[in-house]
């Protein structure tokens, strides 16, 4: 991968949460530490609007890029356009707010999925105690930064491929669920219509091999 521009204050603004928050049932959604998908989702904890305003520097909005700051380094996700307008990052995360006229958030997400960037993160992690990184390391991370039009074109192609992969995954899950239902109906709800056998019947017929490579005997 070609060496590109590093993080610059004029291009990016990054912040890390530094305090614990109180979980409540409504308010501003707090991003949990579990990431690894293109867009952050799943269940959220919540903090009050007053608490979120007090930690306004740690509020992330749609299009922000979120990084793990400690533990499983190298995980990155994007803040989606919905269902919320803002989120509060946890003390184990960092956010990257992208200048839309200079960089494409989805392109940056894919950049940080490359083996080169993951290796850079590992090589520059602070190993004292739990492996972690910080905003200084993030700001000085070199990345390739082609013209904005090319960034968007690359992100569009990769995003379409990810959409196809996700669609296939959901289709497979649906087919698997259907197969399980059919199997249950055929083998259990209609079992009176065919002969049932025990495992020993198959072993007797030397159809199944069990044990440490030896054919089972009666």
């Amino acid at each position: 991968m070609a060496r590109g521009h590093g993080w610059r204050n004029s291009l990016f603004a990054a912040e890390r949460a530094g305090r614990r928050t109180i979980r409540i049932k409504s308010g501003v959604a707090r991003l949990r530490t579990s990431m690894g998908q293109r867009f952050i989702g799943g269940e959220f904890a919540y903090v009050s609007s007053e608490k979120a305003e007090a930690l306004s520097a740690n509020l992330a909005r749609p299009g922000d890029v979120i990084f793990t700051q400690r533990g499983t380094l190298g995980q990155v996700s994007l803040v989606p356009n919905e269902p919320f307008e803002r989120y509060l990052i946890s003390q184990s995360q960092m956010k990257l707010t992208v200048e839309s006229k200079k960089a494409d958030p989805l392109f940056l997400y894919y950049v940080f999925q490359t083996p080169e960037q993951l290796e850079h993160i590992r090589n520059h992690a602070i190993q004292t105690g739990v492996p972690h990184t910080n905003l200084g390391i993030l700001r000085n991370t070199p990345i390739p930064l082609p013209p904005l039009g090319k960034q968007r074109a690359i992100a569009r192609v990769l995003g379409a491929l990810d959409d196809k992969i996700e669609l296939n995954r959901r289709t497979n899950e649906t087919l698997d669920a259907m197969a399980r239902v059919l199997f249950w109906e055929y083998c259990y709800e209609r079992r009176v219509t065919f002969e049932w056998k025990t495992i020993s019947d198959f072993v007797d017929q030397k159809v199944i091999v069990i044990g440490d490579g030896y054919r089972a005997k009666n």
Side-chain angles (χ1 to χ4, degrees):
M1 183 174 67
R3 188 177 182 86
H5 301 290
W7 304 111
R8 297 177 182 175
N9 291 335
S10 61
L11 183 58
F12 304 109
E15 299 292 344
R16 181 177 70 83
R19 301 190 215 170
R20 296 186 180 276
T21 53
I22 301 174
R23 296 182 180 180
I24 58 177
K25 295 183 179 181
S26 63
V28 178
R30 194 190 74 174
L31 299 181
R32 296 177 181 270
T33 56
S34 178
M35 299 196 309
Q37 298 179 342
R38 184 170 31 159
F39 294 104
I40 289 178
E43 297 182 358
F44 297 99
Y46 296 87
V47 299
S48 66
S49 297
E50 293 77 12
K51 185 68 173 182
E53 289 301 326
L55 299 171
S56 59
N58 302 319
L59 289 174
R61 291 175 171 79
D64 284 353
V65 188
I66 308 299
F67 301 85
T68 50
Q69 188 264 339
R70 64 178 65 249
T72 308
L73 299 180
Q75 291 185 332
V76 56
S77 294
L78 292 170
V79 177
N81 292 328
E82 54 184 23
F84 305 111
E85 295 182 353
R86 58 180 183 169
Y87 302 77
L88 188 68
I89 62 174
S90 77
Q91 60 182 354
S92 297
Q93 296 169 329
M94 300 181 293
K95 75 170 183 177
L96 183 67
T97 300
V98 181
E99 172 53 62
S100 60
K101 294 182 179 180
K102 298 180 180 179
D104 181 80
L106 186 57
F107 172 79
L108 294 180
Y109 164 80
Y110 285 115
V111 165
F112 279 94
Q113 297 295 310
T114 62
E116 292 86 353
Q117 289 302 129
L118 293 174
E119 181 179 6
H120 179 88
I121 291 173
R122 288 193 296 267
N123 290 341
H124 291 78
I126 301 169
Q127 298 297 333
T128 304
V130 177
H132 61 283
T133 185
N134 57 43
L135 291 176
I137 295 173
L138 179 61
R139 289 191 182 98
N140 290 298
T141 299
I143 60 169
L145 199 65
L148 184 58
K150 290 187 177 181
Q151 293 180 45
R152 289 173 175 168
I154 293 171
R156 184 165 56 249
V157 171
L158 295 178
L161 290 174
D162 269 351
D163 289 341
K164 180 63 175 177
I165 292 171
E166 177 62 17
L167 178 60
N168 289 340
R169 184 189 67 79
R170 293 181 181 180
T171 300
N172 289 338
E173 288 181 350
T174 300
L175 292 175
D176 180 69
M178 293 173 61
R180 290 174 183 273
V181 170
L182 291 173
F183 176 82
W184 177 268
E185 290 181 350
Y186 186 79
C187 291
Y188 291 94
E189 293 186 3
R190 304 178 185 177
R191 60 183 178 181
V192 294
T193 63
F194 58 87
E195 182 182 5
W196 279 68
K197 291 183 176 292
T198 65
I199 292 296
S200 62
D201 293 324
F202 291 94
V203 173
D204 291 342
Q205 299 169 25
K206 298 184 177 180
V207 175
I208 294 179
V209 177
I210 62 175
D212 298 325
Y214 297 95
R215 290 193 179 277
K217 299 181 180 180
N218 293 339

